[in-house]
Amino acid sequence: MLLCMVPFLDAPPATTALSPSLYVAIAASGFFACLVNVSQFAVIDAVGPVSSTVIGHLKTCTIVGLGWYLSGQSISRQSIAGLLLTLLGMGLYMAAVLRNRR
């Protein structure tokens, strides 16, 4: 759908000579975005919408934690407490789900 709308809504690039690697990066970005969406449907089908949301929050916590680690910036105690509280809630939820499956 976006491919059909881009010519009408977006201006062409200012430079005429764009590198082929830019086109490869754009195509790869679209391909990986498609894979993320398809995998999200598979996760929802396998574990349900609530568990899928919990998995999404785990992914977000992982990205935030890696960002803190790789950036080398100082981390506030509130941020650490929030991240730990989120991980604790996810762990308790998953324990409850597994207990109910038995």
Side-chain angles (χ1 to χ4, degrees):
M1 187 166 124
L2 286 176
L3 190 58
C4 297
M5 298 302 291
V6 165
F8 301 108
L9 300 175
D10 202 7
T15 60
T16 56
L18 297 176
S19 67
S21 64
L22 178 65
Y23 291 110
V24 170
I26 291 170
S29 175
F31 176 73
F32 288 125
C34 182
L35 285 180
V36 165
N37 290 330
V38 170
S39 69
Q40 187 67 24
F41 285 121
V43 168
I44 290 172
D45 184 46
V47 297
V50 176
S51 294
S52 172
T53 302
V54 170
I55 292 169
H57 288 307
L58 178 62
K59 180 179 73 169
T60 302
C61 288
T62 303
I63 291 169
V64 168
L66 284 173
W68 284 337
Y69 177 74
L70 295 175
S71 70
Q73 296 178 354
S74 62
I75 307 163
S76 69
R77 289 183 180 176
Q78 290 104 349
S79 296
I80 292 173
L83 188 65
L84 291 175
L85 186 61
T86 303
L87 292 173
L88 175 68
M90 284 187 272
L92 292 172
Y93 171 78
M94 294 311 281
V97 167
L98 292 174
R99 188 177 22 219
N100 289 332
R101 283 191 179 175
R102 293 180 193 173

